[in-house]
Amino acid sequence: MKLLHKTLFILILVFALRIIQSCGCPDDPHFFDFENISILNLDNSKDYVRSGSTDAMFSSAVAFEITISGRGEFASLKRAILSLGFSEITASDKCPLQFKSNQKISKITIITMEAISPEIQANTDVTDIFLGIVPFHSSPTFLYEPLDNIYHAINPEIFIDNTTSCFQVVCNRNILNDKAQFTINIDLSDGRTLTGTTNLITLTPSF
Protein backbone atom coordinates (compact mmCIF):
# COMPACT_ATOMS: atom_id res chain seq x y z
CA MET A 1 0.00 0.00 0.00
CA LYS A 2 2.85 2.39 0.83
CA LEU A 3 4.45 1.63 -2.55
CA LEU A 4 1.15 2.41 -4.30
CA HIS A 5 0.83 5.74 -2.49
CA LYS A 6 4.44 6.61 -3.34
CA THR A 7 3.91 5.71 -6.99
CA LEU A 8 0.75 7.81 -7.19
CA PHE A 9 2.53 10.75 -5.56
CA ILE A 10 5.36 10.60 -8.10
CA LEU A 11 2.90 10.35 -11.00
CA ILE A 12 1.03 13.39 -9.71
CA LEU A 13 4.36 15.21 -9.38
CA VAL A 14 5.28 14.41 -12.98
CA PHE A 15 2.01 15.77 -14.35
CA ALA A 16 2.24 18.83 -12.09
CA LEU A 17 5.73 19.54 -13.38
CA ARG A 18 4.55 19.25 -16.97
CA ILE A 19 1.71 21.70 -16.31
CA ILE A 20 4.09 24.17 -14.66
CA GLN A 21 6.67 23.81 -17.42
CA SER A 22 4.03 24.34 -20.10
CA CYS A 23 3.67 27.85 -18.71
CA GLY A 24 7.40 28.51 -19.02
CA CYS A 25 10.60 27.34 -17.37
CA PRO A 26 10.84 28.13 -13.63
CA ASP A 27 13.65 30.48 -12.64
CA ASP A 28 14.07 29.33 -9.04
CA PRO A 29 16.88 26.77 -8.53
CA HIS A 30 16.62 23.77 -6.22
CA PHE A 31 19.15 23.88 -3.38
CA PHE A 32 21.44 21.02 -2.43
CA ASP A 33 24.36 20.18 -0.13
CA PHE A 34 27.73 18.78 -1.16
CA GLU A 35 28.04 15.42 0.61
CA ASN A 36 30.51 13.11 -1.15
CA ILE A 37 33.92 12.98 -2.78
CA SER A 38 35.11 10.38 -5.28
CA ILE A 39 38.51 9.99 -6.96
CA LEU A 40 39.20 8.36 -10.32
CA ASN A 41 42.64 7.43 -11.69
CA LEU A 42 43.57 9.09 -14.98
CA ASP A 43 45.92 7.94 -17.71
CA ASN A 44 48.04 11.00 -18.49
CA SER A 45 50.72 9.18 -20.50
CA LYS A 46 49.22 9.87 -23.94
CA ASP A 47 48.32 13.02 -25.88
CA TYR A 48 44.87 13.10 -24.25
CA VAL A 49 43.96 12.37 -20.66
CA ARG A 50 41.56 9.46 -20.22
CA SER A 51 40.23 7.26 -17.44
CA GLY A 52 42.79 4.88 -16.02
CA SER A 53 41.83 1.22 -15.80
CA THR A 54 44.51 0.16 -13.30
CA ASP A 55 46.38 1.43 -10.25
CA ALA A 56 49.56 1.89 -12.29
CA MET A 57 50.95 5.13 -13.69
CA PHE A 58 54.18 6.53 -15.06
CA SER A 59 56.14 8.48 -12.47
CA SER A 60 55.85 11.74 -14.42
CA ALA A 61 52.19 11.26 -15.36
CA VAL A 62 50.32 10.99 -12.05
CA ALA A 63 46.78 12.35 -12.46
CA PHE A 64 43.34 12.05 -10.90
CA GLU A 65 39.78 13.19 -11.48
CA ILE A 66 37.98 14.46 -8.38
CA THR A 67 34.20 14.68 -8.18
CA ILE A 68 32.33 16.49 -5.41
CA SER A 69 28.69 15.47 -5.45
CA GLY A 70 25.60 16.61 -3.62
CA ARG A 71 22.07 15.63 -3.05
CA GLY A 72 18.82 17.48 -2.76
CA GLU A 73 15.20 16.56 -2.23
CA PHE A 74 14.26 17.46 -5.78
CA ALA A 75 17.18 15.46 -7.19
CA SER A 76 15.96 12.41 -5.27
CA LEU A 77 12.48 12.85 -6.70
CA LYS A 78 13.91 13.09 -10.21
CA ARG A 79 15.79 9.81 -9.73
CA ALA A 80 12.60 8.21 -8.45
CA ILE A 81 10.71 9.41 -11.52
CA LEU A 82 13.34 7.97 -13.86
CA SER A 83 13.40 4.68 -11.95
CA LEU A 84 9.73 4.17 -12.82
CA GLY A 85 10.58 4.13 -16.50
CA PHE A 86 9.96 7.74 -17.48
CA SER A 87 12.50 9.11 -19.94
CA GLU A 88 14.78 12.03 -19.14
CA ILE A 89 12.78 14.13 -21.58
CA THR A 90 9.51 13.27 -19.82
CA ALA A 91 10.99 14.08 -16.44
CA SER A 92 12.39 17.47 -17.36
CA ASP A 93 10.48 18.26 -20.58
CA LYS A 94 12.07 21.29 -22.28
CA CYS A 95 13.24 22.85 -19.04
CA PRO A 96 16.61 21.83 -17.57
CA LEU A 97 16.69 21.29 -13.84
CA GLN A 98 18.59 24.08 -12.12
CA PHE A 99 20.45 23.44 -8.87
CA LYS A 100 22.31 25.76 -6.52
CA SER A 101 24.75 24.57 -3.89
CA ASN A 102 24.37 25.73 -0.30
CA GLN A 103 28.18 25.69 -0.04
CA LYS A 104 31.16 26.82 -2.06
CA ILE A 105 34.36 24.83 -2.48
CA SER A 106 36.76 27.13 -0.65
CA LYS A 107 40.04 25.18 -0.58
CA ILE A 108 41.70 22.13 -2.16
CA THR A 109 44.55 20.50 -0.25
CA ILE A 110 46.60 17.51 -1.43
CA ILE A 111 48.77 15.59 1.04
CA THR A 112 51.23 12.94 -0.13
CA MET A 113 51.18 9.71 1.86
CA GLU A 114 54.43 8.48 0.28
CA ALA A 115 57.75 10.22 -0.33
CA ILE A 116 57.94 12.03 -3.67
CA SER A 117 61.66 12.88 -3.52
CA PRO A 118 64.36 13.18 -0.86
CA GLU A 119 63.14 16.75 -0.29
CA ILE A 120 59.42 15.92 -0.22
CA GLN A 121 58.67 13.25 2.34
CA ALA A 122 55.41 11.52 3.31
CA ASN A 123 52.67 13.58 5.01
CA THR A 124 53.74 16.75 3.20
CA ASP A 125 51.31 19.26 1.69
CA VAL A 126 52.02 18.99 -2.05
CA THR A 127 49.13 21.07 -3.36
CA ASP A 128 51.55 23.46 -5.06
CA ILE A 129 53.03 20.76 -7.31
CA PHE A 130 49.63 19.88 -8.79
CA LEU A 131 47.90 21.65 -11.66
CA GLY A 132 44.19 21.50 -12.41
CA ILE A 133 41.64 21.73 -15.17
CA VAL A 134 37.85 21.58 -15.24
CA PRO A 135 36.47 19.29 -17.98
CA PHE A 136 33.99 20.87 -20.38
CA HIS A 137 34.56 24.30 -18.86
CA SER A 138 34.79 27.15 -21.34
CA SER A 139 38.40 28.10 -20.67
CA PRO A 140 40.27 30.28 -23.17
CA THR A 141 43.41 28.13 -22.89
CA PHE A 142 42.19 24.58 -22.13
CA LEU A 143 45.50 24.11 -20.31
CA TYR A 144 46.26 22.89 -16.81
CA GLU A 145 46.81 25.76 -14.40
CA PRO A 146 47.47 26.32 -10.69
CA LEU A 147 44.64 25.03 -8.51
CA ASP A 148 43.98 28.54 -7.19
CA ASN A 149 42.83 29.48 -10.70
CA ILE A 150 40.05 26.89 -11.01
CA TYR A 151 37.85 27.87 -8.06
CA HIS A 152 35.62 30.04 -10.23
CA ALA A 153 34.98 27.11 -12.58
CA ILE A 154 34.19 24.54 -9.88
CA ASN A 155 31.83 26.96 -8.10
CA PRO A 156 29.25 27.91 -10.77
CA GLU A 157 26.25 29.90 -9.65
CA ILE A 158 23.91 27.33 -11.16
CA PHE A 159 24.37 23.60 -11.85
CA ILE A 160 22.33 22.37 -14.82
CA ASP A 161 20.71 18.91 -14.52
CA ASN A 162 23.24 17.69 -11.94
CA THR A 163 24.61 18.31 -8.46
CA THR A 164 28.29 17.57 -9.08
CA SER A 165 31.49 19.59 -9.42
CA CYS A 166 34.33 17.81 -11.19
CA PHE A 167 37.97 18.70 -11.87
CA GLN A 168 41.21 16.97 -12.82
CA VAL A 169 44.62 17.33 -11.19
CA VAL A 170 48.06 16.32 -12.49
CA CYS A 171 51.37 16.24 -10.65
CA ASN A 172 53.97 18.37 -12.43
CA ARG A 173 56.90 16.53 -10.85
CA ASN A 174 58.57 13.26 -11.71
CA ILE A 175 58.01 11.17 -8.58
CA LEU A 176 61.22 9.47 -7.41
CA ASN A 177 59.49 6.50 -5.83
CA ASP A 178 57.94 3.22 -6.97
CA LYS A 179 54.59 4.06 -5.37
CA ALA A 180 52.35 7.04 -4.68
CA GLN A 181 49.22 7.78 -2.71
CA PHE A 182 47.49 11.03 -1.79
CA THR A 183 44.84 12.35 0.57
CA ILE A 184 42.67 15.08 -0.94
CA ASN A 185 40.80 17.46 1.35
CA ILE A 186 38.00 19.69 0.05
CA ASP A 187 37.11 22.51 2.45
CA LEU A 188 33.56 23.85 2.11
CA SER A 189 32.34 27.30 3.00
CA ASP A 190 30.12 25.92 5.79
CA GLY A 191 33.16 24.66 7.71
CA ARG A 192 32.95 21.01 6.67
CA THR A 193 35.76 19.10 4.95
CA LEU A 194 35.24 16.26 2.51
CA THR A 195 38.22 13.89 2.45
CA GLY A 196 39.15 11.23 -0.07
CA THR A 197 42.19 9.01 -0.50
CA THR A 198 43.53 7.77 -3.81
CA ASN A 199 44.33 4.12 -4.34
CA LEU A 200 47.95 3.12 -3.80
CA ILE A 201 49.53 3.73 -7.20
CA THR A 202 52.36 1.60 -8.59
CA LEU A 203 54.78 3.81 -10.52
CA THR A 204 56.85 2.98 -13.58
CA PRO A 205 59.89 5.26 -14.02
CA SER A 206 59.59 7.76 -16.86
CA PHE A 207 62.64 8.04 -19.12
Side-chain angles (χ1 to χ4, degrees):
M1 184 63 68
K2 289 183 178 180
L3 178 60
L4 177 61
H5 288 166
K6 184 177 180 180
T7 302
L8 289 174
F9 170 74
I10 293 174
L11 287 172
I12 292 171
L13 177 65
V14 171
F15 290 119
L17 285 173
R18 290 177 65 84
I19 292 173
I20 293 172
Q21 291 171 351
S22 67
C23 300
C25 294
D27 294 328
D28 295 335
H30 306 281
F31 289 88
F32 72 94
D33 294 313
F34 283 125
E35 297 286 352
N36 303 297
I37 178 174
S38 60
I39 303 171
L40 175 70
N41 293 345
L42 295 178
D43 181 355
N44 190 35
S45 62
K46 304 293 192 301
D47 291 337
Y48 298 97
V49 176
R50 57 186 176 180
S51 297
S53 57
T54 69
D55 289 332
M57 298 180 187
F58 286 100
S59 59
S60 62
V62 172
F64 305 97
E65 182 171 272
I66 302 163
T67 300
I68 313 302
S69 58
R71 60 183 177 84
E73 181 178 355
F74 199 84
S76 300
L77 289 174
K78 181 187 176 185
R79 285 193 293 270
I81 291 170
L82 297 178
S83 69
L84 290 177
F86 290 93
S87 68
E88 185 80 14
I89 294 176
T90 302
S92 62
D93 203 6
K94 296 179 181 179
C95 296
L97 291 175
Q98 299 186 52
F99 297 95
K100 186 176 180 65
S101 172
N102 290 318
Q103 305 87 24
K104 296 291 185 181
I105 297 172
S106 56
K107 186 178 181 181
I108 303 165
T109 305
I110 302 175
I111 307 295
T112 182
M113 300 175 68
E114 303 287 343
I116 287 180
S117 68
E119 297 77 25
I120 304 177
Q121 292 296 306
N123 300 314
T124 299
D125 184 337
V126 292
T127 310
D128 289 344
I129 69 171
F130 277 84
L131 301 176
I133 194 172
V134 181
F136 311 115
H137 179 66
S138 180
S139 169
T141 61
F142 297 99
L143 298 176
Y144 285 88
E145 52 189 338
L147 295 183
D148 285 345
N149 295 351
I150 70 170
Y151 285 109
H152 68 287
I154 61 178
N155 286 305
E157 287 299 317
I158 296 294
F159 294 81
I160 301 298
D161 280 337
N162 68 77
T163 56
T164 61
S165 184
C166 179
F167 59 97
Q168 298 174 353
V169 297
V170 299
C171 182
N172 65 3
R173 298 282 183 89
N174 182 37
I175 297 178
L176 304 179
N177 198 342
D178 60 0
K179 58 186 177 181
Q181 191 171 27
F182 302 91
T183 294
I184 299 173
N185 297 318
I186 305 296
D187 290 350
L188 303 176
S189 58
D190 62 0
R192 292 183 297 127
T193 299
L194 302 179
T195 299
T197 301
T198 70
N199 294 339
L200 182 64
I201 306 300
T202 301
L203 298 178
T204 300
S206 299
F207 298 102

XYZ file of all heavy atoms in Angstrom, residues 139-180:
340
model
N 37.158 27.391 -21.007
C 38.397 28.096 -20.672
C 39.057 28.584 -21.949
O 39.049 27.893 -22.956
C 39.350 27.169 -19.914
O 40.621 27.725 -19.809
N 39.639 29.771 -21.935
C 40.272 30.283 -23.168
C 41.537 29.528 -23.552
O 41.965 29.575 -24.693
C 40.585 31.739 -22.817
C 40.690 31.756 -21.325
C 39.687 30.742 -20.839
N 42.139 28.800 -22.600
C 43.408 28.126 -22.893
C 43.281 26.608 -22.967
O 44.028 25.966 -23.687
C 44.440 28.474 -21.817
O 43.959 28.024 -20.538
C 44.681 29.978 -21.762
N 42.339 26.027 -22.210
C 42.190 24.579 -22.130
C 43.487 23.916 -21.642
O 43.780 22.785 -21.988
C 41.770 23.973 -23.481
C 40.429 24.463 -23.944
C 40.337 25.476 -24.883
C 39.269 23.912 -23.428
C 39.098 25.930 -25.305
C 38.022 24.353 -23.846
C 37.937 25.367 -24.787
N 44.263 24.625 -20.834
C 45.504 24.106 -20.308
C 45.384 23.927 -18.796
O 44.571 24.585 -18.139
C 46.665 25.055 -20.621
C 46.990 25.292 -22.097
C 48.095 26.332 -22.233
C 47.396 23.983 -22.779
N 46.214 23.030 -18.260
C 46.265 22.887 -16.812
C 46.880 24.139 -16.201
O 47.791 24.734 -16.767
C 47.089 21.649 -16.441
C 46.352 20.357 -16.692
C 46.406 19.725 -17.932
C 45.585 19.767 -15.690
C 45.718 18.540 -18.165
C 44.898 18.588 -15.906
C 44.966 17.975 -17.144
O 44.284 16.812 -17.372
N 46.362 24.539 -15.058
C 46.811 25.757 -14.404
C 46.838 25.562 -12.898
O 46.307 24.556 -12.387
C 45.905 26.930 -14.789
C 44.423 26.683 -14.587
C 43.580 27.794 -15.190
O 44.091 28.899 -15.384
O 42.394 27.553 -15.446
N 47.447 26.464 -12.145
C 47.475 26.320 -10.687
C 46.072 26.149 -10.118
O 45.107 26.744 -10.616
C 48.123 27.633 -10.219
C 48.981 28.048 -11.375
C 48.223 27.645 -12.605
N 45.959 25.345 -9.067
C 44.643 25.035 -8.513
C 43.899 26.283 -8.050
O 42.665 26.329 -8.080
C 44.784 24.032 -7.362
C 45.306 22.635 -7.749
C 45.334 21.721 -6.539
C 44.459 22.024 -8.857
N 44.637 27.302 -7.617
C 43.980 28.543 -7.192
C 43.177 29.190 -8.320
O 42.283 29.995 -8.058
C 45.020 29.546 -6.680
C 45.534 29.183 -5.297
O 44.898 28.350 -4.628
O 46.580 29.739 -4.892
N 43.502 28.849 -9.559
C 42.831 29.479 -10.698
C 41.562 28.766 -11.149
O 40.890 29.244 -12.067
C 43.792 29.553 -11.894
C 44.980 30.458 -11.634
O 45.023 31.172 -10.634
N 45.956 30.434 -12.528
N 41.217 27.638 -10.534
C 40.048 26.887 -11.011
C 38.834 27.027 -10.094
O 37.769 26.483 -10.391
C 40.367 25.394 -11.212
C 40.581 24.685 -9.863
C 41.559 25.203 -12.132
C 40.661 23.174 -9.981
N 38.974 27.779 -9.003
C 37.853 27.866 -8.060
C 36.604 28.474 -8.696
O 35.479 28.067 -8.389
C 38.260 28.667 -6.815
C 39.164 27.901 -5.881
C 40.508 28.232 -5.753
C 38.684 26.836 -5.139
C 41.345 27.525 -4.915
C 39.516 26.121 -4.288
C 40.847 26.467 -4.179
O 41.677 25.756 -3.353
N 36.786 29.433 -9.596
C 35.619 30.036 -10.230
C 34.875 29.029 -11.086
O 33.644 29.081 -11.193
C 36.044 31.233 -11.089
C 36.847 30.858 -12.292
N 38.170 30.431 -12.205
C 36.530 30.816 -13.610
C 38.625 30.151 -13.415
N 37.659 30.370 -14.287
N 35.610 28.088 -11.679
C 34.985 27.111 -12.577
C 34.283 25.985 -11.811
O 33.281 25.438 -12.286
C 36.023 26.526 -13.522
N 34.809 25.621 -10.638
C 34.190 24.535 -9.875
C 33.100 25.051 -8.932
O 32.463 24.250 -8.242
C 35.239 23.739 -9.081
C 35.968 24.621 -8.072
C 36.222 23.070 -10.037
C 36.984 23.866 -7.213
N 32.887 26.362 -8.926
C 31.830 26.958 -8.103
C 30.858 27.776 -8.965
O 30.703 28.986 -8.763
C 32.430 27.855 -7.024
C 33.079 27.082 -5.898
O 32.448 26.226 -5.274
N 34.350 27.369 -5.626
N 30.203 27.142 -9.944
C 29.252 27.908 -10.765
C 28.061 28.364 -9.936
O 27.719 27.745 -8.920
C 28.831 26.895 -11.838
C 28.989 25.567 -11.173
C 30.210 25.705 -10.304
N 27.443 29.424 -10.357
C 26.252 29.902 -9.652
C 25.111 28.906 -9.754
O 24.353 28.692 -8.807
C 25.818 31.267 -10.212
C 26.716 32.417 -9.799
C 26.757 32.611 -8.296
O 25.691 32.533 -7.653
O 27.864 32.818 -7.763
N 24.988 28.278 -10.920
C 23.908 27.326 -11.157
C 24.482 26.052 -11.767
O 25.306 26.099 -12.681
C 22.837 27.914 -12.106
C 22.151 29.124 -11.456
C 21.790 26.854 -12.480
C 21.315 28.794 -10.224
N 24.037 24.898 -11.266
C 24.369 23.605 -11.849
C 23.166 23.149 -12.687
O 22.036 23.155 -12.193
C 24.650 22.568 -10.764
C 25.888 22.843 -9.944
C 25.858 23.757 -8.895
C 27.069 22.184 -10.219
C 26.986 24.011 -8.135
C 28.212 22.434 -9.466
C 28.169 23.343 -8.427
N 23.406 22.763 -13.922
C 22.333 22.371 -14.818
C 22.217 20.847 -14.864
O 23.147 20.143 -15.268
C 22.556 22.921 -16.245
C 22.646 24.451 -16.211
C 21.445 22.471 -17.183
C 21.399 25.134 -15.710
N 21.058 20.334 -14.440
C 20.712 18.910 -14.518
C 21.654 17.999 -13.720
O 21.706 16.798 -13.974
C 20.671 18.437 -15.978
C 19.367 18.828 -16.670
O 18.372 19.054 -15.959
O 19.361 18.915 -17.901
N 22.403 18.543 -12.776
C 23.244 17.689 -11.935
C 23.636 18.452 -10.679
O 23.466 19.675 -10.598
C 24.498 17.228 -12.688
C 25.448 18.360 -12.967
O 26.183 18.819 -12.096
N 25.442 18.847 -14.206
N 24.154 17.704 -9.713
C 24.612 18.313 -8.457
C 26.058 17.891 -8.194
O 26.407 17.478 -7.088
C 23.708 17.891 -7.284
O 23.682 16.451 -7.212
C 22.295 18.409 -7.476
N 26.898 17.982 -9.217
C 28.290 17.567 -9.080
C 29.230 18.647 -9.604
O 28.927 19.361 -10.553
C 28.575 16.270 -9.853
O 28.333 16.476 -11.242
C 27.700 15.131 -9.347
N 30.404 18.728 -8.962
C 31.488 19.591 -9.419
C 32.700 18.698 -9.627
O 33.090 17.950 -8.730
C 31.789 20.679 -8.388
O 32.768 21.574 -8.873
N 33.271 18.754 -10.827
C 34.333 17.815 -11.195
C 35.553 18.568 -11.728
O 35.415 19.547 -12.463
C 33.792 16.853 -12.257
S 34.989 15.655 -12.849
N 36.744 18.109 -11.344
C 37.966 18.703 -11.875
C 39.067 17.649 -11.892
O 38.986 16.614 -11.209
C 38.397 19.930 -11.061
C 38.671 19.661 -9.601
C 39.963 19.441 -9.149
C 37.635 19.654 -8.675
C 40.220 19.208 -7.807
C 37.875 19.411 -7.332
C 39.173 19.187 -6.899
N 40.085 17.889 -12.690
C 41.210 16.967 -12.818
C 42.479 17.629 -12.292
O 42.653 18.847 -12.445
C 41.401 16.556 -14.277
C 40.202 15.816 -14.856
C 40.349 15.540 -16.343
O 41.281 16.009 -16.997
N 39.415 14.775 -16.897
N 43.340 16.815 -11.681
C 44.621 17.325 -11.185
C 45.751 16.446 -11.711
O 45.591 15.224 -11.843
C 44.669 17.377 -9.645
C 43.630 18.349 -9.109
C 44.475 16.002 -9.024
N 46.876 17.062 -12.040
C 48.064 16.323 -12.493
C 49.274 16.814 -11.696
O 49.404 18.006 -11.408
C 48.312 16.509 -14.006
C 47.148 15.981 -14.817
C 48.566 17.968 -14.352
N 50.131 15.887 -11.346
C 51.368 16.244 -10.646
C 52.394 16.699 -11.676
O 52.623 16.006 -12.684
C 51.879 15.040 -9.866
S 53.364 15.379 -8.910
N 53.000 17.850 -11.453
C 53.966 18.372 -12.425
C 55.412 18.031 -12.061
O 56.351 18.662 -12.541
C 53.804 19.888 -12.592
C 54.126 20.668 -11.331
O 54.530 20.086 -10.315
N 53.941 21.973 -11.376
N 55.576 17.017 -11.205
C 56.904 16.528 -10.847
C 57.058 15.062 -11.246
O 56.078 14.312 -11.264
C 57.130 16.639 -9.335
C 57.079 18.052 -8.787
C 58.352 18.813 -9.058
N 58.297 20.143 -8.461
C 58.696 20.402 -7.212
N 59.181 19.433 -6.452
N 58.605 21.630 -6.731
N 58.254 14.666 -11.541
C 58.568 13.257 -11.713
C 58.789 12.677 -10.319
O 59.683 13.115 -9.583
C 59.817 13.077 -12.572
C 60.149 11.626 -12.802
O 59.263 10.792 -12.960
N 61.432 11.300 -12.799
N 57.960 11.719 -9.935
C 58.014 11.172 -8.581
C 59.129 10.130 -8.488
O 59.137 9.146 -9.230
C 56.656 10.569 -8.187
C 55.584 11.677 -8.173
C 56.735 9.888 -6.824
C 54.192 11.191 -7.845
N 60.062 10.346 -7.561
C 61.223 9.466 -7.406
C 60.924 8.377 -6.382
O 61.549 8.273 -5.321
C 62.444 10.288 -6.987
C 62.818 11.441 -7.926
C 64.022 12.193 -7.380
C 63.082 10.926 -9.334
N 59.916 7.588 -6.712
C 59.493 6.499 -5.828
C 58.801 5.465 -6.699
O 58.404 5.771 -7.832
C 58.554 7.039 -4.738
C 58.413 6.110 -3.550
O 58.726 4.915 -3.635
N 57.945 6.645 -2.433
N 58.637 4.247 -6.185
C 57.940 3.222 -6.967
C 56.466 3.126 -6.611
O 55.750 2.250 -7.107
C 58.618 1.856 -6.800
C 58.640 1.385 -5.342
O 58.134 2.124 -4.458
O 59.162 0.286 -5.089
N 56.003 4.040 -5.747
C 54.587 4.058 -5.373
C 54.185 5.473 -4.982
O 55.032 6.313 -4.646
C 54.307 3.091 -4.232
C 55.130 3.358 -2.976
C 54.922 2.280 -1.927
C 55.817 2.519 -0.715
N 55.642 1.470 0.322
N 52.883 5.722 -5.040
C 52.355 7.041 -4.680
C 50.930 6.893 -4.162
O 50.183 6.003 -4.595
C 52.372 7.980 -5.885
